[in-house]
Amino acid sequence: MTTVALDGQRALDLDAADELPTLRSQFHVPPHGDGEVAYFAGNSLGLQPVALRDRLGQELDDWARLGVEGHGEATRPWVSYHQLLREPAARLVGADPSEVVVMNSLTVNLHLMMVSFYRPTPQRHAIVIEDSAFPSDSYAVRSQAAFHGYDPDTAVIRLRPRDGESSLRSEDVVAFLAAEGSRVALVLLGAVNYYSGEFLDIEPITAAGHAAGAVVGWDLAHAAGNLPLRMHDWGVDWAAWCSYKYLNSGPGSLAGAFVHERHLADRSLPKFAGWWSTDAASRFLMAPTVTPVDTADSWQLSNPPILAMAPVLASLEMFDAVGMDALRAKSIRLTGYLESLLDAIADGRPLEVITPRDPQRRGAQLSVRIHGLDAGAVTARLRHDHGVIADARQPDVVRLAPAPMYCTFHDCWRAATALAKVLDAHG
Ligand SMILES: Cc1ncc(COP(=O)(O)O)c(C=O)c1O
């Protein structure tokens, strides 16, 4: 076993020299002792931007000052507020502005998308997900199959990694769809898997789903704000994402949805409707029927919650200011550095990085299997003894996400050093 002698000065030097200086000071980093934690849970809940308090305060002030008249007269008029999010959200996922809408929360959007895009028939009603899909996705697709009268145990096909491997291979998903796709109505996969951190190859999987006659949707919960995405060009039918992870918009914050342009004017798609589904010009005519719009807005139901939208807008402005490509480049540097440190401490210690080693096949997350130890006990020691916040996923995986907006090389050094000490104490 190597002793813990990782070079902390080198980490500080890397921080000082990095071409994208950290934006850490623009976030509230939780305190630890006289300093701050090393925060690796941005794939679960991103940190609070310092500027957010003023942005929320602005809406509260406008509400106090204007009451209902804020709909038209607020600094950012509420009646059209959601339109401010359209272009930055489109840039984030690689879409035309007409293809995106920010609304609801993620699982709600998964369901609304499936109302339109899961159209099962007796011959073709299977839904393909990853065996390690996030439970909410699993529950959602099972409930959709049952809603349409199919047995979820047979209608939902769960794709597993090969024996002895921890991640699905994109080529295996493609091969499955080529072989079995004739019974598949919908493919719904996590673009970045929450457990392994694997980034699936969206374009070929989408093409394979289409070649098989299926609709292909993606859950971007762990991909939005993590990697550059090109939903439109990759031909994805629909997608949904949340904004409380890499997008730093706060606990339970609003989600997004993408619908490909080719579906926007399809009046035959079943949809649930509410007063915000109708054309804005007709909204206050109080008509009994919807006047359809050919944008993703037509999947909206309710009037948008402004206090929940303000954090998303503030966050998207930060992403625009830095640029996703620059963030991704830094993310690759940070994650690669953390990986090299974990490899250095792995000698003689029971840890194994299960995230793909190819930087193109992962985002800002390394999942570390701790053999023979309870991952929850390990993360508790990391937190309390060393001020390193990571999370545990049952039974034995510790997830570390060096989110590039506020994590530093020195944080990576702290995490690896602390993990080695915690494992040595347990050994
Ligand atoms: C991949 C994935 N899907 C769905 C969800 C559920 O999101 P929500 O509770 O916002 O509906 C999460 C939450 O972390 C997730 O990671």
Side-chain angles (χ1 to χ4, degrees), residues 43-44 105-108 110 133-137 190 192 194 219-222 242 244-245 252-253 255 393 399:
N43 56 345
S44 185
S105 48
L106 171 53
T107 309
V108 174
L110 293 176
F134 191 80
S136 206
D137 300 45
V192 173
Y194 86 99
D219 180 334
L220 305 179
H222 287 262
C242 58
Y244 43 79
K245 300 178 186 294
S253 59
R393 286 291 176 260
R399 301 187 310 168

Side-chain angles (χ1 to χ4, degrees), residues 271-289:
K271 273 180 209 169
F272 290 164
W275 69 311
W276 280 66
S277 320
T278 200
D279 180 36
S282 71
R283 188 162 294 135
F284 290 96
L285 299 181
M286 302 311 188
T289 55

Side-chain angles (χ1 to χ4, degrees), residues 135-150:
S136 206
D137 300 45
S138 184
Y139 305 160
V141 297
R142 288 178 61 83
S143 65
Q144 285 281 338
F147 175 74
H148 287 279
Y150 297 100

